[in-house]
Amino acid sequence: MLKKGEAEDNNRTDIYNLMGACCFKLKKYKTAINYFKKAIETDPSTAINYANIGSCYRELKNTEKAIKYYHITLEIDPSIEFAAENLLKLMKR
């Protein structure tokens, strides 16, 4: 259904975010990253997509990239608590 939505309107960050979230839940982190990046291409101000990319990189054990994306998230929207919490955990390692 989301693919159909994308075909109808490929400028919807919410569709790409949902596609990325579904892939994340399925542990398809690299595919999820691609969808979250598409959302960012459509609207670079959507902080949640940076946070979600950070979480994907965290799951892929790429701490450096996870930290980078969590920092970007918090620069845009410091109220995203899970990004701040995960950033602190990763920096303590």
Side-chain angles (χ1 to χ4, degrees), residues 2-16 42:
L2 289 171
K3 283 286 191 187
K4 187 175 182 180
E6 177 188 24
E8 291 292 321
D9 184 354
N10 65 355
N11 287 314
R12 300 270 312 262
T13 58
D14 58 332
I15 290 174
Y16 291 123
T42 304

Side-chain angles (χ1 to χ4, degrees), residues 51-78:
N52 290 335
I53 291 172
S55 294
C56 289
Y57 281 123
R58 184 196 68 226
E59 293 299 316
L60 291 169
K61 308 291 188 233
N62 189 331
T63 303
E64 185 177 315
K65 283 190 176 181
I67 288 171
K68 173 188 167 187
Y69 279 94
Y70 287 139
H71 273 297
I72 294 168
T73 301
L74 297 170
E75 286 173 13
I76 298 168
D77 184 350

Side-chain angles (χ1 to χ4, degrees), residues 5-60:
E6 177 188 24
E8 291 292 321
D9 184 354
N10 65 355
N11 287 314
R12 300 270 312 262
T13 58
D14 58 332
I15 290 174
Y16 291 123
N17 181 279
L18 286 169
M19 292 169 90
C22 290
C23 291
F24 183 87
K25 292 286 186 183
L26 294 170
K27 299 183 181 194
K28 296 181 179 182
Y29 304 118
K30 291 179 182 178
T31 303
I33 288 168
N34 290 330
Y35 284 122
F36 294 132
K37 284 184 175 181
K38 282 185 179 184
I40 289 168
E41 288 171 14
T42 304
D43 182 359
S45 70
T46 54
I48 193 67
N49 292 305
Y50 294 96
N52 290 335
I53 291 172
S55 294
C56 289
Y57 281 123
R58 184 196 68 226
E59 293 299 316
L60 291 169

Side-chain angles (χ1 to χ4, degrees), residues 79-90:
S79 72
I80 299 179
E81 291 180 20
F82 80 90
E85 291 166 4
N86 284 320
L87 180 60
L88 284 174
K89 288 177 189 174
L90 290 171

